[in-house]
Structure formats: structure tokens, C-alpha cells
Amino acid sequence: MARRTALLLKGVNVGGKNKLPMAELRAALSGEPGWGEVETYLQSGNVVACAPKGDAASALHELIAARFGLDIEVFAWSGKEIADVVADNPFPGKADEPKLLHVAFLQSAPPKDWFATAGLVHAGDEVALGRRHIYLCYRDNSRDSPLAKVMRNAKISFTARNWTTVVKLAELTS
């Protein structure tokens, strides 16, 4: 049986930009050879599917460009990788406050010195670097935080999800 993969789309359905109806995406992807058990979670670009062999992120990127005319970056994560993100949470006490705990998913390992060079003033926020992700633990909220500002201005490409979504993706890919 094929393993389920989480495909995280960057910046869809946010502030009226990159509108991509998940039901239409799900239908389009379900009709493609090699794809199976296609599900979407919420309207924020979370796709879980049995993906064809090869580069699932590129395949989905190309499908979205061809069918919907959008250039959307896609981050592919295996079920095991998502499960490891949940298991390795360095802020277990914050898991009960999922709106304050987020994970930024990257295409490759984060630069080890990134936060030092970014000039981040934590102001109560906490950060932990993972293998190919960054845990973001906000003191008050993700919108007004100094950490959120640094992430928005980062020269690294990422897409972030709150802890509730990360845990749900782990369930859907298991």
C-alpha cells in the first residue's frame, strides 16, 4: 500500500490571494494517474494523498499551474516526517495552546545561524530548529509577535501551520 504524504501549499486562500478551492483541487488531483486517497484539510492548502512515485511536490505544483493558473510552492512531507515533528515537539507544555505553537515547514534544513543573523529579539517567544522545520512558540499571538515579523521578512521559504493542523496532518498521514 502506498504511503500517505502531506503536501502543504504556501499562501493559498490568504487575504483574497491565490484563491484555490480545495474541493476543486481534490477533484482534479483525484482524477490524475498515480494519485489516490486524496483528502484536503481546511481551506489553507493542506492536501494528504497517496502520491505517485517521484517528486510529489513538483507534480502537484505543475497540476496547480496547469489547471488553476497559480504558481504555488508545495512542501511535501511523509507521514513519518510529520509524526516525527509531533513526537519531537520541544514545547510539550504548549501543545494545549495550539494557536500559540506553530511549525514552519521548509524545503531543506534551516540555516543553523539564521536566528542569530536575523537579529531576533525574542520578547517571550521561543524558537527551536528541527531537521527541516522550525518550531515557533509565540507568547501572545502569531500576528503581532516580533518572531512573526522576523519570519515574514525571512530570506528562507516556508509555510507555517498551527499545532492543531500539524497534529491533524499526522493523523491523516498515519
Side-chain angles (χ1 to χ4, degrees), residues 3-9 22 25-26 29-30 35-42 45-51 60 75 77-79 82 165-166 168-174:
R3 294 181 178 231
R4 291 174 55 88
T5 300
L7 297 139
L8 310 176
L9 310 181
M22 290 295 106
L25 176 61
R26 192 170 50 249
L29 199 54
S30 294
W35 292 89
E37 299 180 35
V38 179
E39 291 182 71
T40 56
Y41 177 66
L42 302 174
N46 304 297
V47 178
V48 173
C50 291
L60 182 54
F75 298 77
W77 284 69
S78 72
I82 296 283
T165 299
V166 173
K168 184 64 176 181
L169 290 170
E171 290 172 14
L172 292 172
T173 56
S174 66

PDB file of all heavy atoms in Angstrom, residues 3-9 22 25-26 29-30 35-42 45-51 60 75 77-79 82 165-166 168-174:
ATOM      1  N   ARG A   3       2.253   4.936   0.727  1.00  0.00           N
ATOM      2  CA  ARG A   3       2.254   5.764   1.932  1.00  0.00           C
ATOM      3  C   ARG A   3       1.606   7.104   1.646  1.00  0.00           C
ATOM      4  O   ARG A   3       1.770   7.670   0.577  1.00  0.00           O
ATOM      5  CB  ARG A   3       3.675   5.973   2.413  1.00  0.00           C
ATOM      6  CG  ARG A   3       4.305   4.687   2.883  1.00  0.00           C
ATOM      7  CD  ARG A   3       5.711   4.936   3.371  1.00  0.00           C
ATOM      8  NE  ARG A   3       6.228   3.686   3.849  1.00  0.00           N
ATOM      9  CZ  ARG A   3       6.788   3.546   5.032  1.00  0.00           C
ATOM     10  NH1 ARG A   3       6.924   4.565   5.832  1.00  0.00           N
ATOM     11  NH2 ARG A   3       7.228   2.381   5.418  1.00  0.00           N
ATOM     12  N   ARG A   4       0.928   7.617   2.653  1.00  0.00           N
ATOM     13  CA  ARG A   4       0.274   8.919   2.503  1.00  0.00           C
ATOM     14  C   ARG A   4       1.283  10.031   2.761  1.00  0.00           C
ATOM     15  O   ARG A   4       2.129   9.931   3.631  1.00  0.00           O
ATOM     16  CB  ARG A   4      -0.924   9.002   3.437  1.00  0.00           C
ATOM     17  CG  ARG A   4      -2.006   8.031   2.949  1.00  0.00           C
ATOM     18  CD  ARG A   4      -3.194   7.891   3.832  1.00  0.00           C
ATOM     19  NE  ARG A   4      -3.891   9.100   4.175  1.00  0.00           N
ATOM     20  CZ  ARG A   4      -4.876   9.646   3.451  1.00  0.00           C
ATOM     21  NH1 ARG A   4      -5.231   9.114   2.311  1.00  0.00           N
ATOM     22  NH2 ARG A   4      -5.501  10.711   3.885  1.00  0.00           N
ATOM     23  N   THR A   5       1.161  11.073   1.980  1.00  0.00           N
ATOM     24  CA  THR A   5       2.056  12.215   2.034  1.00  0.00           C
ATOM     25  C   THR A   5       1.246  13.465   2.330  1.00  0.00           C
ATOM     26  O   THR A   5       0.136  13.626   1.810  1.00  0.00           O
ATOM     27  CB  THR A   5       2.772  12.377   0.674  1.00  0.00           C
ATOM     28  OG1 THR A   5       3.515  11.186   0.406  1.00  0.00           O
ATOM     29  CG2 THR A   5       3.702  13.570   0.663  1.00  0.00           C
ATOM     30  N   ALA A   6       1.805  14.351   3.135  1.00  0.00           N
ATOM     31  CA  ALA A   6       1.196  15.667   3.369  1.00  0.00           C
ATOM     32  C   ALA A   6       1.849  16.634   2.393  1.00  0.00           C
ATOM     33  O   ALA A   6       3.073  16.724   2.322  1.00  0.00           O
ATOM     34  CB  ALA A   6       1.425  16.120   4.803  1.00  0.00           C
ATOM     35  N   LEU A   7       1.030  17.326   1.633  1.00  0.00           N
ATOM     36  CA  LEU A   7       1.503  18.324   0.679  1.00  0.00           C
ATOM     37  C   LEU A   7       0.959  19.668   1.139  1.00  0.00           C
ATOM     38  O   LEU A   7      -0.254  19.892   1.129  1.00  0.00           O
ATOM     39  CB  LEU A   7       1.028  17.965  -0.729  1.00  0.00           C
ATOM     40  CG  LEU A   7       1.609  16.621  -1.186  1.00  0.00           C
ATOM     41  CD1 LEU A   7       0.595  15.794  -1.919  1.00  0.00           C
ATOM     42  CD2 LEU A   7       2.849  16.851  -2.004  1.00  0.00           C
ATOM     43  N   LEU A   8       1.858  20.522   1.575  1.00  0.00           N
ATOM     44  CA  LEU A   8       1.475  21.787   2.179  1.00  0.00           C
ATOM     45  C   LEU A   8       1.698  22.905   1.166  1.00  0.00           C
ATOM     46  O   LEU A   8       2.815  23.102   0.686  1.00  0.00           O
ATOM     47  CB  LEU A   8       2.298  22.033   3.442  1.00  0.00           C
ATOM     48  CG  LEU A   8       2.335  20.850   4.424  1.00  0.00           C
ATOM     49  CD1 LEU A   8       3.253  21.162   5.587  1.00  0.00           C
ATOM     50  CD2 LEU A   8       0.939  20.509   4.895  1.00  0.00           C
ATOM     51  N   LEU A   9       0.630  23.623   0.848  1.00  0.00           N
ATOM     52  CA  LEU A   9       0.690  24.684  -0.138  1.00  0.00           C
ATOM     53  C   LEU A   9       0.963  26.007   0.561  1.00  0.00           C
ATOM     54  O   LEU A   9       0.359  26.301   1.594  1.00  0.00           O
ATOM     55  CB  LEU A   9      -0.624  24.770  -0.910  1.00  0.00           C
ATOM     56  CG  LEU A   9      -1.159  23.446  -1.482  1.00  0.00           C
ATOM     57  CD1 LEU A   9      -2.450  23.679  -2.231  1.00  0.00           C
ATOM     58  CD2 LEU A   9      -0.132  22.779  -2.354  1.00  0.00           C
ATOM     59  N   MET A  22     -10.404  24.120  -2.389  1.00  0.00           N
ATOM     60  CA  MET A  22      -9.873  22.803  -2.051  1.00  0.00           C
ATOM     61  C   MET A  22     -10.708  21.677  -2.664  1.00  0.00           C
ATOM     62  O   MET A  22     -10.156  20.658  -3.069  1.00  0.00           O
ATOM     63  CB  MET A  22      -9.773  22.634  -0.529  1.00  0.00           C
ATOM     64  CG  MET A  22      -8.697  23.499   0.121  1.00  0.00           C
ATOM     65  SD  MET A  22      -7.021  23.081  -0.388  1.00  0.00           S
ATOM     66  CE  MET A  22      -6.659  24.465  -1.475  1.00  0.00           C
ATOM     67  N   LEU A  25      -9.509  21.349  -6.189  1.00  0.00           N
ATOM     68  CA  LEU A  25      -8.171  20.763  -6.199  1.00  0.00           C
ATOM     69  C   LEU A  25      -8.244  19.267  -5.916  1.00  0.00           C
ATOM     70  O   LEU A  25      -7.606  18.461  -6.588  1.00  0.00           O
ATOM     71  CB  LEU A  25      -7.263  21.456  -5.183  1.00  0.00           C
ATOM     72  CG  LEU A  25      -5.860  20.864  -5.038  1.00  0.00           C
ATOM     73  CD1 LEU A  25      -5.096  20.931  -6.360  1.00  0.00           C
ATOM     74  CD2 LEU A  25      -5.100  21.580  -3.937  1.00  0.00           C
ATOM     75  N   ARG A  26      -9.042  18.912  -4.926  1.00  0.00           N
ATOM     76  CA  ARG A  26      -9.201  17.499  -4.559  1.00  0.00           C
ATOM     77  C   ARG A  26      -9.739  16.696  -5.754  1.00  0.00           C
ATOM     78  O   ARG A  26      -9.223  15.629  -6.077  1.00  0.00           O
ATOM     79  CB  ARG A  26     -10.155  17.405  -3.354  1.00  0.00           C
ATOM     80  CG  ARG A  26     -10.204  16.089  -2.677  1.00  0.00           C
ATOM     81  CD  ARG A  26     -10.985  16.128  -1.362  1.00  0.00           C
ATOM     82  NE  ARG A  26     -12.295  16.757  -1.464  1.00  0.00           N
ATOM     83  CZ  ARG A  26     -12.626  17.935  -0.900  1.00  0.00           C
ATOM     84  NH1 ARG A  26     -11.752  18.602  -0.193  1.00  0.00           N
ATOM     85  NH2 ARG A  26     -13.840  18.427  -1.025  1.00  0.00           N
ATOM     86  N   LEU A  29      -7.005  16.439  -8.540  1.00  0.00           N
ATOM     87  CA  LEU A  29      -5.930  15.533  -8.158  1.00  0.00           C
ATOM     88  C   LEU A  29      -6.411  14.085  -8.141  1.00  0.00           C
ATOM     89  O   LEU A  29      -5.679  13.171  -8.545  1.00  0.00           O
ATOM     90  CB  LEU A  29      -5.383  15.940  -6.784  1.00  0.00           C
ATOM     91  CG  LEU A  29      -4.012  15.438  -6.384  1.00  0.00           C
ATOM     92  CD1 LEU A  29      -2.969  15.786  -7.428  1.00  0.00           C
ATOM     93  CD2 LEU A  29      -3.612  16.025  -5.043  1.00  0.00           C
ATOM     94  N   SER A  30      -7.640  13.860  -7.728  1.00  0.00           N
ATOM     95  CA  SER A  30      -8.197  12.503  -7.687  1.00  0.00           C
ATOM     96  C   SER A  30      -8.290  11.888  -9.075  1.00  0.00           C
ATOM     97  O   SER A  30      -8.234  10.667  -9.219  1.00  0.00           O
ATOM     98  CB  SER A  30      -9.584  12.515  -7.039  1.00  0.00           C
ATOM     99  OG  SER A  30      -9.480  12.870  -5.679  1.00  0.00           O
ATOM    100  N   TRP A  35      -2.332   9.128  -8.285  1.00  0.00           N
ATOM    101  CA  TRP A  35      -2.770   9.751  -7.034  1.00  0.00           C
ATOM    102  C   TRP A  35      -3.951   8.970  -6.464  1.00  0.00           C
ATOM    103  O   TRP A  35      -4.825   8.527  -7.200  1.00  0.00           O
ATOM    104  CB  TRP A  35      -3.189  11.193  -7.266  1.00  0.00           C
ATOM    105  CG  TRP A  35      -2.058  12.092  -7.623  1.00  0.00           C
ATOM    106  CD1 TRP A  35      -1.590  12.350  -8.876  1.00  0.00           C
ATOM    107  CD2 TRP A  35      -1.237  12.831  -6.729  1.00  0.00           C
ATOM    108  NE1 TRP A  35      -0.520  13.216  -8.811  1.00  0.00           N
ATOM    109  CE2 TRP A  35      -0.292  13.533  -7.510  1.00  0.00           C
ATOM    110  CE3 TRP A  35      -1.204  12.981  -5.343  1.00  0.00           C
ATOM    111  CZ2 TRP A  35       0.677  14.360  -6.953  1.00  0.00           C
ATOM    112  CZ3 TRP A  35      -0.253  13.810  -4.784  1.00  0.00           C
ATOM    113  CH2 TRP A  35       0.679  14.491  -5.589  1.00  0.00           C
ATOM    114  N   GLY A  36      -4.003   8.812  -5.157  1.00  0.00           N
ATOM    115  CA  GLY A  36      -5.114   8.109  -4.526  1.00  0.00           C
ATOM    116  C   GLY A  36      -5.393   8.629  -3.136  1.00  0.00           C
ATOM    117  O   GLY A  36      -4.573   9.330  -2.544  1.00  0.00           O
ATOM    118  N   GLU A  37      -6.561   8.279  -2.644  1.00  0.00           N
ATOM    119  CA  GLU A  37      -6.977   8.646  -1.281  1.00  0.00           C
ATOM    120  C   GLU A  37      -6.720  10.129  -0.998  1.00  0.00           C
ATOM    121  O   GLU A  37      -6.178  10.498   0.037  1.00  0.00           O
ATOM    122  CB  GLU A  37      -6.250   7.783  -0.247  1.00  0.00           C
ATOM    123  CG  GLU A  37      -6.537   6.300  -0.374  1.00  0.00           C
ATOM    124  CD  GLU A  37      -5.791   5.486   0.669  1.00  0.00           C
ATOM    125  OE1 GLU A  37      -5.628   5.973   1.810  1.00  0.00           O
ATOM    126  OE2 GLU A  37      -5.359   4.366   0.338  1.00  0.00           O
ATOM    127  N   VAL A  38      -7.127  10.977  -1.920  1.00  0.00           N
ATOM    128  CA  VAL A  38      -6.878  12.412  -1.810  1.00  0.00           C
ATOM    129  C   VAL A  38      -7.854  13.044  -0.824  1.00  0.00           C
ATOM    130  O   VAL A  38      -9.063  12.880  -0.942  1.00  0.00           O
ATOM    131  CB  VAL A  38      -6.995  13.103  -3.185  1.00  0.00           C
ATOM    132  CG1 VAL A  38      -6.748  14.598  -3.055  1.00  0.00           C
ATOM    133  CG2 VAL A  38      -6.022  12.472  -4.185  1.00  0.00           C
ATOM    134  N   GLU A  39      -7.299  13.742   0.147  1.00  0.00           N
ATOM    135  CA  GLU A  39      -8.094  14.496   1.120  1.00  0.00           C
ATOM    136  C   GLU A  39      -7.501  15.891   1.242  1.00  0.00           C
ATOM    137  O   GLU A  39      -6.297  16.078   1.041  1.00  0.00           O
ATOM    138  CB  GLU A  39      -8.014  13.867   2.516  1.00  0.00           C
ATOM    139  CG  GLU A  39      -8.695  12.540   2.672  1.00  0.00           C
ATOM    140  CD  GLU A  39      -8.581  12.058   4.121  1.00  0.00           C
ATOM    141  OE1 GLU A  39      -9.241  12.648   4.997  1.00  0.00           O
ATOM    142  OE2 GLU A  39      -7.812  11.114   4.356  1.00  0.00           O
ATOM    143  N   THR A  40      -8.347  16.845   1.607  1.00  0.00           N
ATOM    144  CA  THR A  40      -7.839  18.166   1.972  1.00  0.00           C
ATOM    145  C   THR A  40      -8.318  18.457   3.383  1.00  0.00           C
ATOM    146  O   THR A  40      -9.322  17.909   3.839  1.00  0.00           O
ATOM    147  CB  THR A  40      -8.329  19.262   1.005  1.00  0.00           C
ATOM    148  OG1 THR A  40      -9.748  19.250   0.954  1.00  0.00           O
ATOM    149  CG2 THR A  40      -7.752  19.059  -0.384  1.00  0.00           C
ATOM    150  N   TYR A  41      -7.577  19.281   4.062  1.00  0.00           N
ATOM    151  CA  TYR A  41      -7.928  19.659   5.428  1.00  0.00           C
ATOM    152  C   TYR A  41      -7.949  21.180   5.496  1.00  0.00           C
ATOM    153  O   TYR A  41      -6.949  21.829   5.178  1.00  0.00           O
ATOM    154  CB  TYR A  41      -6.912  19.073   6.424  1.00  0.00           C
ATOM    155  CG  TYR A  41      -7.163  19.468   7.852  1.00  0.00           C
ATOM    156  CD1 TYR A  41      -8.301  19.033   8.518  1.00  0.00           C
ATOM    157  CD2 TYR A  41      -6.278  20.291   8.528  1.00  0.00           C
ATOM    158  CE1 TYR A  41      -8.540  19.414   9.827  1.00  0.00           C
ATOM    159  CE2 TYR A  41      -6.505  20.669   9.836  1.00  0.00           C
ATOM    160  CZ  TYR A  41      -7.645  20.222  10.487  1.00  0.00           C
ATOM    161  OH  TYR A  41      -7.876  20.610  11.782  1.00  0.00           O
ATOM    162  N   LEU A  42      -9.068  21.721   5.861  1.00  0.00           N
ATOM    163  CA  LEU A  42      -9.301  23.155   5.922  1.00  0.00           C
ATOM    164  C   LEU A  42      -9.157  23.770   4.522  1.00  0.00           C
ATOM    165  O   LEU A  42      -9.012  23.067   3.544  1.00  0.00           O
ATOM    166  CB  LEU A  42      -8.376  23.837   6.938  1.00  0.00           C
ATOM    167  CG  LEU A  42      -8.464  23.314   8.382  1.00  0.00           C
ATOM    168  CD1 LEU A  42      -7.390  23.974   9.249  1.00  0.00           C
ATOM    169  CD2 LEU A  42      -9.856  23.569   8.948  1.00  0.00           C
ATOM    170  N   GLY A  45      -4.759  25.011   2.257  1.00  0.00           N
ATOM    171  CA  GLY A  45      -3.744  24.349   1.447  1.00  0.00           C
ATOM    172  C   GLY A  45      -3.082  23.154   2.067  1.00  0.00           C
ATOM    173  O   GLY A  45      -1.865  23.008   1.979  1.00  0.00           O
ATOM    174  N   ASN A  46      -3.850  22.282   2.667  1.00  0.00           N
ATOM    175  CA  ASN A  46      -3.331  21.041   3.234  1.00  0.00           C
ATOM    176  C   ASN A  46      -3.921  19.878   2.446  1.00  0.00           C
ATOM    177  O   ASN A  46      -5.123  19.646   2.495  1.00  0.00           O
ATOM    178  CB  ASN A  46      -3.719  20.905   4.709  1.00  0.00           C
ATOM    179  CG  ASN A  46      -3.257  22.077   5.532  1.00  0.00           C
ATOM    180  OD1 ASN A  46      -2.067  22.319   5.658  1.00  0.00           O
ATOM    181  ND2 ASN A  46      -4.192  22.836   6.080  1.00  0.00           N
ATOM    182  N   VAL A  47      -3.073  19.174   1.720  1.00  0.00           N
ATOM    183  CA  VAL A  47      -3.511  18.032   0.927  1.00  0.00           C
ATOM    184  C   VAL A  47      -2.810  16.799   1.484  1.00  0.00           C
ATOM    185  O   VAL A  47      -1.607  16.826   1.744  1.00  0.00           O
ATOM    186  CB  VAL A  47      -3.138  18.209  -0.562  1.00  0.00           C
ATOM    187  CG1 VAL A  47      -3.553  16.995  -1.376  1.00  0.00           C
ATOM    188  CG2 VAL A  47      -3.751  19.483  -1.128  1.00  0.00           C
ATOM    189  N   VAL A  48      -3.566  15.731   1.656  1.00  0.00           N
ATOM    190  CA  VAL A  48      -2.998  14.452   2.073  1.00  0.00           C
ATOM    191  C   VAL A  48      -3.423  13.437   1.030  1.00  0.00           C
ATOM    192  O   VAL A  48      -4.603  13.365   0.666  1.00  0.00           O
ATOM    193  CB  VAL A  48      -3.483  14.047   3.485  1.00  0.00           C
ATOM    194  CG1 VAL A  48      -3.014  12.644   3.832  1.00  0.00           C
ATOM    195  CG2 VAL A  48      -3.019  15.050   4.523  1.00  0.00           C
ATOM    196  N   ALA A  49      -2.458  12.677   0.513  1.00  0.00           N
ATOM    197  CA  ALA A  49      -2.774  11.717  -0.538  1.00  0.00           C
ATOM    198  C   ALA A  49      -1.718  10.635  -0.615  1.00  0.00           C
ATOM    199  O   ALA A  49      -0.602  10.795  -0.117  1.00  0.00           O
ATOM    200  CB  ALA A  49      -2.844  12.452  -1.882  1.00  0.00           C
ATOM    201  N   CYS A  50      -2.083   9.553  -1.266  1.00  0.00           N
ATOM    202  CA  CYS A  50      -1.099   8.578  -1.700  1.00  0.00           C
ATOM    203  C   CYS A  50      -0.579   9.151  -3.011  1.00  0.00           C
ATOM    204  O   CYS A  50      -1.322   9.260  -3.990  1.00  0.00           O
ATOM    205  CB  CYS A  50      -1.741   7.211  -1.908  1.00  0.00           C
ATOM    206  SG  CYS A  50      -2.266   6.435  -0.373  1.00  0.00           S
ATOM    207  N   ALA A  51       0.647   9.572  -2.993  1.00  0.00           N
ATOM    208  CA  ALA A  51       1.230  10.276  -4.130  1.00  0.00           C
ATOM    209  C   ALA A  51       1.960   9.316  -5.055  1.00  0.00           C
ATOM    210  O   ALA A  51       2.433   8.267  -4.627  1.00  0.00           O
ATOM    211  CB  ALA A  51       2.189  11.350  -3.620  1.00  0.00           C
ATOM    212  N   LEU A  60       2.416  18.168  -7.985  1.00  0.00           N
ATOM    213  CA  LEU A  60       1.264  18.963  -7.553  1.00  0.00           C
ATOM    214  C   LEU A  60       1.419  20.417  -7.992  1.00  0.00           C
ATOM    215  O   LEU A  60       0.467  21.047  -8.440  1.00  0.00           O
ATOM    216  CB  LEU A  60       1.075  18.866  -6.040  1.00  0.00           C
ATOM    217  CG  LEU A  60      -0.127  19.630  -5.477  1.00  0.00           C
ATOM    218  CD1 LEU A  60      -1.429  19.242  -6.183  1.00  0.00           C
ATOM    219  CD2 LEU A  60      -0.235  19.395  -3.976  1.00  0.00           C
ATOM    220  N   PHE A  75       5.242  21.982  -0.350  1.00  0.00           N
ATOM    221  CA  PHE A  75       6.181  21.319   0.557  1.00  0.00           C
ATOM    222  C   PHE A  75       5.642  19.914   0.813  1.00  0.00           C
ATOM    223  O   PHE A  75       4.530  19.763   1.313  1.00  0.00           O
ATOM    224  CB  PHE A  75       6.259  22.086   1.888  1.00  0.00           C
ATOM    225  CG  PHE A  75       6.769  23.490   1.740  1.00  0.00           C
ATOM    226  CD1 PHE A  75       5.941  24.499   1.257  1.00  0.00           C
ATOM    227  CD2 PHE A  75       8.066  23.810   2.097  1.00  0.00           C
ATOM    228  CE1 PHE A  75       6.410  25.801   1.120  1.00  0.00           C
ATOM    229  CE2 PHE A  75       8.537  25.107   1.964  1.00  0.00           C
ATOM    230  CZ  PHE A  75       7.707  26.105   1.473  1.00  0.00           C
ATOM    231  N   TRP A  77       5.802  16.294   2.724  1.00  0.00           N
ATOM    232  CA  TRP A  77       6.256  15.670   3.966  1.00  0.00           C
ATOM    233  C   TRP A  77       5.620  14.301   4.101  1.00  0.00           C
ATOM    234  O   TRP A  77       4.402  14.161   3.996  1.00  0.00           O
ATOM    235  CB  TRP A  77       5.848  16.546   5.161  1.00  0.00           C
ATOM    236  CG  TRP A  77       6.728  17.749   5.283  1.00  0.00           C
ATOM    237  CD1 TRP A  77       6.784  18.811   4.431  1.00  0.00           C
ATOM    238  CD2 TRP A  77       7.699  17.986   6.283  1.00  0.00           C
ATOM    239  NE1 TRP A  77       7.738  19.693   4.856  1.00  0.00           N
ATOM    240  CE2 TRP A  77       8.316  19.217   5.983  1.00  0.00           C
ATOM    241  CE3 TRP A  77       8.117  17.280   7.399  1.00  0.00           C
ATOM    242  CZ2 TRP A  77       9.320  19.753   6.772  1.00  0.00           C
ATOM    243  CZ3 TRP A  77       9.105  17.811   8.184  1.00  0.00           C
ATOM    244  CH2 TRP A  77       9.703  19.041   7.868  1.00  0.00           C
ATOM    245  N   SER A  78       6.437  13.300   4.349  1.00  0.00           N
ATOM    246  CA  SER A  78       5.908  11.944   4.536  1.00  0.00           C
ATOM    247  C   SER A  78       5.173  11.860   5.876  1.00  0.00           C
ATOM    248  O   SER A  78       5.370  12.697   6.762  1.00  0.00           O
ATOM    249  CB  SER A  78       7.046  10.925   4.514  1.00  0.00           C
ATOM    250  OG  SER A  78       7.830  11.026   5.706  1.00  0.00           O
ATOM    251  N   GLY A  79       4.366  10.833   5.993  1.00  0.00           N
ATOM    252  CA  GLY A  79       3.671  10.609   7.255  1.00  0.00           C
ATOM    253  C   GLY A  79       4.640  10.437   8.408  1.00  0.00           C
ATOM    254  O   GLY A  79       4.417  10.943   9.510  1.00  0.00           O
ATOM    255  N   ILE A  82       6.041  13.881   9.445  1.00  0.00           N
ATOM    256  CA  ILE A  82       5.057  14.654  10.215  1.00  0.00           C
ATOM    257  C   ILE A  82       4.932  14.069  11.624  1.00  0.00           C
ATOM    258  O   ILE A  82       4.881  14.800  12.610  1.00  0.00           O
ATOM    259  CB  ILE A  82       3.684  14.680   9.509  1.00  0.00           C
ATOM    260  CG1 ILE A  82       3.782  15.413   8.172  1.00  0.00           C
ATOM    261  CG2 ILE A  82       2.621  15.304  10.397  1.00  0.00           C
ATOM    262  CD1 ILE A  82       3.841  16.906   8.235  1.00  0.00           C
ATOM    263  N   THR A 165      -3.342  21.859  13.356  1.00  0.00           N
ATOM    264  CA  THR A 165      -3.218  21.377  11.987  1.00  0.00           C
ATOM    265  C   THR A 165      -2.102  20.362  11.862  1.00  0.00           C
ATOM    266  O   THR A 165      -2.255  19.328  11.190  1.00  0.00           O
ATOM    267  CB  THR A 165      -3.020  22.557  11.013  1.00  0.00           C
ATOM    268  OG1 THR A 165      -4.160  23.413  11.106  1.00  0.00           O
ATOM    269  CG2 THR A 165      -2.830  22.082   9.592  1.00  0.00           C
ATOM    270  N   VAL A 166      -0.977  20.603  12.510  1.00  0.00           N
ATOM    271  CA  VAL A 166       0.150  19.665  12.452  1.00  0.00           C
ATOM    272  C   VAL A 166      -0.277  18.301  13.004  1.00  0.00           C
ATOM    273  O   VAL A 166      -0.001  17.264  12.391  1.00  0.00           O
ATOM    274  CB  VAL A 166       1.376  20.217  13.219  1.00  0.00           C
ATOM    275  CG1 VAL A 166       2.484  19.175  13.299  1.00  0.00           C
ATOM    276  CG2 VAL A 166       1.885  21.505  12.565  1.00  0.00           C
ATOM    277  N   LYS A 168      -3.317  17.102  13.225  1.00  0.00           N
ATOM    278  CA  LYS A 168      -4.304  16.508  12.307  1.00  0.00           C
ATOM    279  C   LYS A 168      -3.609  15.918  11.082  1.00  0.00           C
ATOM    280  O   LYS A 168      -3.964  14.826  10.622  1.00  0.00           O
ATOM    281  CB  LYS A 168      -5.321  17.568  11.886  1.00  0.00           C
ATOM    282  CG  LYS A 168      -6.426  17.023  11.015  1.00  0.00           C
ATOM    283  CD  LYS A 168      -7.275  15.995  11.758  1.00  0.00           C
ATOM    284  CE  LYS A 168      -8.441  15.542  10.903  1.00  0.00           C
ATOM    285  NZ  LYS A 168      -9.285  14.571  11.612  1.00  0.00           N
ATOM    286  N   LEU A 169      -2.602  16.612  10.567  1.00  0.00           N
ATOM    287  CA  LEU A 169      -1.857  16.063   9.419  1.00  0.00           C
ATOM    288  C   LEU A 169      -1.155  14.762   9.794  1.00  0.00           C
ATOM    289  O   LEU A 169      -1.077  13.826   8.984  1.00  0.00           O
ATOM    290  CB  LEU A 169      -0.854  17.100   8.896  1.00  0.00           C
ATOM    291  CG  LEU A 169      -1.467  18.308   8.194  1.00  0.00           C
ATOM    292  CD1 LEU A 169      -0.406  19.361   7.943  1.00  0.00           C
ATOM    293  CD2 LEU A 169      -2.166  17.910   6.909  1.00  0.00           C
ATOM    294  N   ALA A 170      -0.648  14.689  11.020  1.00  0.00           N
ATOM    295  CA  ALA A 170      -0.019  13.441  11.483  1.00  0.00           C
ATOM    296  C   ALA A 170      -1.059  12.313  11.505  1.00  0.00           C
ATOM    297  O   ALA A 170      -0.757  11.180  11.098  1.00  0.00           O
ATOM    298  CB  ALA A 170       0.604  13.643  12.859  1.00  0.00           C
ATOM    299  N   GLU A 171      -2.258  12.620  11.963  1.00  0.00           N
ATOM    300  CA  GLU A 171      -3.325  11.605  11.988  1.00  0.00           C
ATOM    301  C   GLU A 171      -3.699  11.168  10.570  1.00  0.00           C
ATOM    302  O   GLU A 171      -3.844   9.969  10.293  1.00  0.00           O
ATOM    303  CB  GLU A 171      -4.573  12.167  12.673  1.00  0.00           C
ATOM    304  CG  GLU A 171      -4.429  12.384  14.158  1.00  0.00           C
ATOM    305  CD  GLU A 171      -5.627  13.132  14.745  1.00  0.00           C
ATOM    306  OE1 GLU A 171      -6.672  13.259  14.080  1.00  0.00           O
ATOM    307  OE2 GLU A 171      -5.509  13.594  15.893  1.00  0.00           O
ATOM    308  N   LEU A 172      -3.847  12.151   9.667  1.00  0.00           N
ATOM    309  CA  LEU A 172      -4.272  11.844   8.306  1.00  0.00           C
ATOM    310  C   LEU A 172      -3.233  11.076   7.492  1.00  0.00           C
ATOM    311  O   LEU A 172      -3.582  10.358   6.558  1.00  0.00           O
ATOM    312  CB  LEU A 172      -4.649  13.136   7.569  1.00  0.00           C
ATOM    313  CG  LEU A 172      -5.891  13.852   8.052  1.00  0.00           C
ATOM    314  CD1 LEU A 172      -6.027  15.212   7.380  1.00  0.00           C
ATOM    315  CD2 LEU A 172      -7.145  12.996   7.810  1.00  0.00           C
ATOM    316  N   THR A 173      -1.964  11.230   7.852  1.00  0.00           N
ATOM    317  CA  THR A 173      -0.902  10.542   7.101  1.00  0.00           C
ATOM    318  C   THR A 173      -0.465   9.235   7.745  1.00  0.00           C
ATOM    319  O   THR A 173       0.377   8.534   7.184  1.00  0.00           O
ATOM    320  CB  THR A 173       0.338  11.453   6.924  1.00  0.00           C
ATOM    321  OG1 THR A 173       0.796  11.884   8.206  1.00  0.00           O
ATOM    322  CG2 THR A 173       0.034  12.660   6.042  1.00  0.00           C
ATOM    323  N   SER A 174      -1.016   8.913   8.908  1.00  0.00           N
ATOM    324  CA  SER A 174      -0.568   7.689   9.599  1.00  0.00           C
ATOM    325  C   SER A 174      -1.166   6.437   8.966  1.00  0.00           C
ATOM    326  O   SER A 174      -2.150   6.479   8.269  1.00  0.00           O
ATOM    327  CB  SER A 174      -0.936   7.734  11.071  1.00  0.00           C
ATOM    328  OG  SER A 174      -2.331   7.703  11.246  1.00  0.00           O
TER     329      SER A 174
END
